[in-house]
């Protein structure tokens, strides 16, 4: 029996799904969404807060400030509530109502900025005008990738010691950078493949499905990555729905990484492949799992298996359309 006193103490780290019966080949999916924050973002949220506490930046009465339109905001809301901090989350209009409600119910003050640039200005103004406000800055904070260097990377090798290739979605690049740095040190022969989405959907749709992030991680070292796979968004959505038909309701990034992995594995040999699923699918029921929303944003043929898509390799990972 596991007994906890704080919600961040519970996090399932060794749950893998063998997708052979779904995709026709052995691919292990590491499921990161089984914690009270419902996503892998609990790890960097906890790491960044802990580092700030150790540095004396966060003290009783402090207020955490961060920009997020999704899972990190929820995770920081949970950690802040657990540890007695106030949290102000600056988000944008494309953050879903459900996400904002989750944060608010955890005691977070949610402020909506028109776009990332306006959000950044607001964060800086809040910290300049208020004593005790601390901006964690996920995109420059080493805790973002260190969390996965300390936990996710070692967890994968401990469970899958014969790992050949790891597929990771880009996002804020914390998971990618942390796992890649760990594996390069401990098992450098493991191939690291980064996966991200390309068109054709509108930018608002990309944000709603968690297929893309509006800000790029500034310190990622592409020398850590062996290949970059760019996947059409509709292919990612179809993979999510294929998983759901077998009972695995997962978030948009899970379908994206799986689609990229399958494309890469068609052209490359790998006996043991692991893909990282960052969150569950319940927060996407009104987007990628809603037929009309998909048709409105991606066209009437988006859900057909024959819909045109591609997954070529590219090193232009950080081009922002």
């Amino acid at each position: 029996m596991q007994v906890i006193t704080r919600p961040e103490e519970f996090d399932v780290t060794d749950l893998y799904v063998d997708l052979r019966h779904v995709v026709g080949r052995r691919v292990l999916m590491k499921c990161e969404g089984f914690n009270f924050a419902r996503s892998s973002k609990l790890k960097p949220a906890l790491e960044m807060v802990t580092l700030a506490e150790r540095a004396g930046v966060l003290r009783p009465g402090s207020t955490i400030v961060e920009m997020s339109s999704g899972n990190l905001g929820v995770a920081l809301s949970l950690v802040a509530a657990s540890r007695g901090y106030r949290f102000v989350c600056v988000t944008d209009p494309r953050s879903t109502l459900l996400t904002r409600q989750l944060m608010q119910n955890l005691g977070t003050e949610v402020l909506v900025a028109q776009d990332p640039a306006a959000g950044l200005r607001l964060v800086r103004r809040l910290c300049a005008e208020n004593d005790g406000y601390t901006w964690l800055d996920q995109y420059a904070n080493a805790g973002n990738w260190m969390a996965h260097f300390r936990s996710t990377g070692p967890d994968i090798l401990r469970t899958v010691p014969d790992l050949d290739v790891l597929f990771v979605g880009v996002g804020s690049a914390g998971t990618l950078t942390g796992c890649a740095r760990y594996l390069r040190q401990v098992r450098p022969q493991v191939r690291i493949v980064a996966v991200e989405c390309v068109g054709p959907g509108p930018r608002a749709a990309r944000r709603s499905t968690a297929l893309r992030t509006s800000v790029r991680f500034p310190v990622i070292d592409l020398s850590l990555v062996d290949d970059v796979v760019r996947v059409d968004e509709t292919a990612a959505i179809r993979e999510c729905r294929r998983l759901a038909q077998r009972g695995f309701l997962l978030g948009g990034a899970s379908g994206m990484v799986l689609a990229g992995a399958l494309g890469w594995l068609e052209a490359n040999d790998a006996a043991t492949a692991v893909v990282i699923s960052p969150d569950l699918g319940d927060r996407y029921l009104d987007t990628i799992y809603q037929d009309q929303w998909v048709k409105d944003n991606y066209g009437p043929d988006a859900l057909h298996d024959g819909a045109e898509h591609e997954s070529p390799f590219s090193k232009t990972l950080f081009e922002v359309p």
Side-chain angles (χ1 to χ4, degrees), residues 91-160:
T91 188
D92 61 66
R94 290 163 290 190
S95 172
T96 66
L97 176 62
L98 174 59
T99 297
R100 295 198 296 270
Q101 289 176 330
L102 283 170
M103 291 190 285
Q104 289 168 338
N105 277 282
L106 288 167
T108 296
E109 180 182 358
V110 179
L111 303 178
V112 180
Q114 194 60 37
D115 53 50
L120 182 59
R121 291 193 296 271
L122 177 56
V123 166
R124 288 174 172 164
R125 180 169 62 81
L126 287 170
C127 292
E129 295 177 354
N130 297 277
D131 291 337
Y133 275 49
T134 297
W135 177 28
L136 295 179
D137 191 4
Q138 61 166 313
Y139 295 102
N141 194 316
N144 193 355
W145 65 264
M146 284 175 59
H148 299 286
F149 181 90
R150 297 175 192 264
S151 61
T152 311
D155 289 342
I156 291 171
L157 270 194
R158 188 180 306 114
T159 308
V160 191

Side-chain angles (χ1 to χ4, degrees), residues 34-181:
F34 289 93
N35 55 55
F36 282 99
R38 309 287 278 178
S39 81
S40 62
K41 293 296 186 180
L42 180 60
K43 294 175 180 178
L46 185 57
E47 184 77 14
M48 290 189 293
V49 168
T50 300
L51 289 176
E53 289 174 336
R54 290 174 182 168
V57 176
L58 285 179
R59 297 180 291 272
S62 292
T63 297
I64 298 169
V65 183
E66 186 54 85
M67 294 174 59
S68 173
S69 61
N71 287 329
L72 182 68
V74 174
L76 280 172
S77 296
L78 181 149
V79 175
S82 173
R83 299 198 174 190
Y85 300 116
R86 289 187 62 243
F87 175 39
V88 178
C89 184
V90 176
T91 188
D92 61 66
R94 290 163 290 190
S95 172
T96 66
L97 176 62
L98 174 59
T99 297
R100 295 198 296 270
Q101 289 176 330
L102 283 170
M103 291 190 285
Q104 289 168 338
N105 277 282
L106 288 167
T108 296
E109 180 182 358
V110 179
L111 303 178
V112 180
Q114 194 60 37
D115 53 50
L120 182 59
R121 291 193 296 271
L122 177 56
V123 166
R124 288 174 172 164
R125 180 169 62 81
L126 287 170
C127 292
E129 295 177 354
N130 297 277
D131 291 337
Y133 275 49
T134 297
W135 177 28
L136 295 179
D137 191 4
Q138 61 166 313
Y139 295 102
N141 194 316
N144 193 355
W145 65 264
M146 284 175 59
H148 299 286
F149 181 90
R150 297 175 192 264
S151 61
T152 311
D155 289 342
I156 291 171
L157 270 194
R158 188 180 306 114
T159 308
V160 191
D162 58 340
L163 179 68
D164 292 316
V165 57
L166 177 67
F167 298 91
V168 191
V170 178
S172 68
T175 308
L176 175 63
T177 302
C179 290
R181 285 182 173 167

Side-chain angles (χ1 to χ4, degrees), residues 13-317:
T13 61
D14 59 353
L15 177 61
Y16 292 74
V17 178
D18 187 340
L19 295 176
R20 183 165 16 199
H21 69 297
V22 179
V23 301
R25 66 186 308 153
R26 187 172 186 263
V27 177
L28 298 177
M29 176 169 278
K30 186 180 193 306
C31 298
E32 290 275 287
F34 289 93
N35 55 55
F36 282 99
R38 309 287 278 178
S39 81
S40 62
K41 293 296 186 180
L42 180 60
K43 294 175 180 178
L46 185 57
E47 184 77 14
M48 290 189 293
V49 168
T50 300
L51 289 176
E53 289 174 336
R54 290 174 182 168
V57 176
L58 285 179
R59 297 180 291 272
S62 292
T63 297
I64 298 169
V65 183
E66 186 54 85
M67 294 174 59
S68 173
S69 61
N71 287 329
L72 182 68
V74 174
L76 280 172
S77 296
L78 181 149
V79 175
S82 173
R83 299 198 174 190
Y85 300 116
R86 289 187 62 243
F87 175 39
V88 178
C89 184
V90 176
T91 188
D92 61 66
R94 290 163 290 190
S95 172
T96 66
L97 176 62
L98 174 59
T99 297
R100 295 198 296 270
Q101 289 176 330
L102 283 170
M103 291 190 285
Q104 289 168 338
N105 277 282
L106 288 167
T108 296
E109 180 182 358
V110 179
L111 303 178
V112 180
Q114 194 60 37
D115 53 50
L120 182 59
R121 291 193 296 271
L122 177 56
V123 166
R124 288 174 172 164
R125 180 169 62 81
L126 287 170
C127 292
E129 295 177 354
N130 297 277
D131 291 337
Y133 275 49
T134 297
W135 177 28
L136 295 179
D137 191 4
Q138 61 166 313
Y139 295 102
N141 194 316
N144 193 355
W145 65 264
M146 284 175 59
H148 299 286
F149 181 90
R150 297 175 192 264
S151 61
T152 311
D155 289 342
I156 291 171
L157 270 194
R158 188 180 306 114
T159 308
V160 191
D162 58 340
L163 179 68
D164 292 316
V165 57
L166 177 67
F167 298 91
V168 191
V170 178
S172 68
T175 308
L176 175 63
T177 302
C179 290
R181 285 182 173 167
Y182 176 79
L183 291 171
R184 285 291 174 257
Q185 291 184 17
V186 178
R187 190 181 171 90
Q189 65 268 38
V190 172
R191 285 169 287 183
I192 311 294
V193 180
V195 185
E196 75 158 4
C197 272
V198 295
R203 198 171 185 83
R206 298 165 190 161
R207 293 292 301 280
S208 298
T209 57
L211 294 176
R212 297 203 190 186
T213 181
S214 60
V215 183
R216 294 299 185 182
F217 198 63
V219 296
I220 184 173
D221 182 357
L222 282 179
S223 68
L224 298 171
V225 176
D226 295 291
D227 272 315
V228 179
V229 180
R230 308 185 81 199
V231 176
D232 188 279
E233 294 169 18
T234 55
I237 292 171
R238 288 196 299 273
E239 288 301 337
C240 284
R241 285 166 166 256
R242 175 157 67 153
L243 288 167
Q245 289 171 359
R246 295 301 187 97
F248 299 107
L249 191 70
L250 300 170
S254 301
M256 174 188 74
V257 178
L258 180 57
L262 294 177
W264 190 92
L265 289 168
E266 286 179 3
N268 298 271
D269 292 327
T272 306
V274 169
V275 302
I276 296 181
S277 166
D279 63 355
L280 304 182
D282 48 346
R283 294 176 190 170
Y284 307 94
L285 292 177
D286 58 350
T287 55
I288 62 176
Y289 292 108
Q290 214 283 329
D291 287 357
Q292 193 59 52
W293 184 93
V294 175
K295 292 176 183 178
D296 288 345
N297 283 282
Y298 296 95
D301 297 325
L303 297 178
H304 298 164
D305 289 339
E308 189 175 323
H309 66 280
E310 60 181 18
S311 57
F313 306 128
S314 171
K315 290 299 181 184
T316 56
L317 180 62

